[in-house]
């Protein structure tokens, strides 16, 4: 009531009552009622305008959110497709042209093993996708690869698979490592089988050992190949390199992992950005494969080739 009484100046009310003693009070009540209605109408209109403004802003926010969701979904699909294509290229480069039994043999289960007798373990299936989970960005993790210079001591055909070769390689350790590699493509002109022993090569040494048709392979030879010429060459370290010298990258410093986890497929993910440039230098994102103090790794004759 205090607000209602203060709508008009008291002197105005007194003047109306003096001019019209009989109806002055009713006129004042009528004016007060209309003034209050006008005030409420103005407040209501302001509230409606604010509500409309909020609705418009809310609709705009919803549109922006849907647009961002669409962009994120498209980016995830492209990343998934790129990772799948890289995985398929890597798999195709290591599988022989003609049909062959699966290259990896798992150790036969033993009835005495408590893990094999656990039905819950038997039902657990390995991951079926070689790709990165959606939303995970590839990182500059090339320093995690333990790349070393090795000297081939001997080479002979695999006893069970015609397209595979078994090499003994000195990588600067107390004992040489056994490596199983696929050299099914045409070699350099003039080269003969068995001519590689004594050559230097670059090996990935922290892969998990795996049994390939009865032979355990403990490293991976890095080769470069050109689809145009159908030639495969061993990636060659610089002159003066010794077995055990580490191959590093100036722009990506760091220490290698003790052993790479096979299901992360780190090498396969990074391999897509490895290449031999137009000068024959092996690079990762334009940064050369380097033996510190001795030089860069190169392809013997190829340029603009892939590394596998």
């Amino acid at each position: 009531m205090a607000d209602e009484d203060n709508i008009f100046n008291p002197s105005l009310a007194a003047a109306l009552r003096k001019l019209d003693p009989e109806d002055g009070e009713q006129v004042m009540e009528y004016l007060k009622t209309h003034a209050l209605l006008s005030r409420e109408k103005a407040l209501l209109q302001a509230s409606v305008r604010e509500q409309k403004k909020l609705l418009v802003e809310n609709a705009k926010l919803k549109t922006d959110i849907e647009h961002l969701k669409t962009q994120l979904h498209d980016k995830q699909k492209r990343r998934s497709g790129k990772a799948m294509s890289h995985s398929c290229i890597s798999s195709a480069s290591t599988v022989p042209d003609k049909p062959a039994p699966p290259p990896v043999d798992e150790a036969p289960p033993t009835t005495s093993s408590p893990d094999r007798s656990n039905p819950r373990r038997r039902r657990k299936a390995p991951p079926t996708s070689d790709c990165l989970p959606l939303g995970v960005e590839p990182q500059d993790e090339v320093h995690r690869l333990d790349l070393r210079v090795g000297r081939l001591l001997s080479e002979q055909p695999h006893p069970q698979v015609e397209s595979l070769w078994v090499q003994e390689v000195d990588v600067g350790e107390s004992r040489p490592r056994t490596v199983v590699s696929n050299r099914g493509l045409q070699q350099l002109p003039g080269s003969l089988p068995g001519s590689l022993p004594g050559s230097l090569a670059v090996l990935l040494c922290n892969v998990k050992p795996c049994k390939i048709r009865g032979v355990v392979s403990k490293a991976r030879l890095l080769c470069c190949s050109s689809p145009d010429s159908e030639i495969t060459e061993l990636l060659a370290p610089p002159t003066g390199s010794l077995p055990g010298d580490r191959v590093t990258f100036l722009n990506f410093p760091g220490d290698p992992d003790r052993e790479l986890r096979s299901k992360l497929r780190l090498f396969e993910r990074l391999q897509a950005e490895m290449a031999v440039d137009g000068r024959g230098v092996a690079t990762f994102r334009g940064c050369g494969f380097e033996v510190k103090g001795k030089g860069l790794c190169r392809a013997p004759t190829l340029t603009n080739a892939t590394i596998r």
Side-chain angles (χ1 to χ4, degrees), residues 33-65:
T33 301
H34 276 274
L36 290 173
L37 288 175
S38 299
R39 179 187 293 178
E40 290 177 357
K41 182 178 179 181
L43 292 174
L44 181 60
Q45 288 176 343
S47 175
V48 170
R49 286 195 299 271
E50 188 67 24
Q51 185 177 10
K52 287 182 179 180
K53 182 180 179 181
L54 290 175
L55 288 174
V56 171
E57 292 178 352
N58 189 30
K60 184 179 179 181
L61 287 175
K62 286 183 178 180
T63 303
D64 292 342
I65 290 172

Side-chain angles (χ1 to χ4, degrees), residues 4 9 19 22 32-33 45 58 110 124 130 133 142 169 173 184 192 194 213 242 254 262 266 277 295:
E4 294 178 4
N9 193 302
L19 290 174
E22 296 181 356
K32 285 181 181 180
T33 301
Q45 288 176 343
N58 189 30
T110 59
K124 187 176 180 181
D130 294 334
V142 71
V169 186
E173 299 172 336
L192 299 173
R213 302 298 290 167
L242 298 175
S262 56
L266 179 64
D277 64 15

Side-chain angles (χ1 to χ4, degrees), residues 244-289:
D245 286 348
R246 191 177 168 212
V247 178
T248 58
F249 303 86
L250 181 63
N251 296 344
F252 308 99
D255 296 324
D257 290 2
R258 182 179 180 85
E259 182 178 279
L260 298 177
R261 294 171 57 189
S262 56
K263 65 180 179 180
L264 290 181
R265 301 182 67 85
L266 179 64
F267 178 77
E268 287 77 3
R269 286 159 40 198
L270 299 174
Q271 180 187 4
E273 299 186 83
M274 296 180 181
V276 176
D277 64 15
R279 300 174 300 154
V281 176
T283 63
F284 172 78
R285 296 186 186 175
C287 181
F289 287 54

Side-chain angles (χ1 to χ4, degrees), residues 147-184:
L147 298 174
R148 294 189 229 163
V149 175
R151 186 181 300 278
L152 277 68
L153 303 178
S154 65
E155 180 182 52
Q156 58 185 354
H158 193 288
Q160 297 185 33
V161 184
E162 183 180 352
S163 61
L164 298 180
W165 289 76
V166 180
Q167 293 97 5
E168 295 294 322
V169 186
D170 176 14
V171 290
E173 299 172 336
S174 57
R175 299 177 60 182
R177 293 199 186 197
T178 301
V179 180
V180 178
S181 62
N182 176 13
R183 293 179 49 224

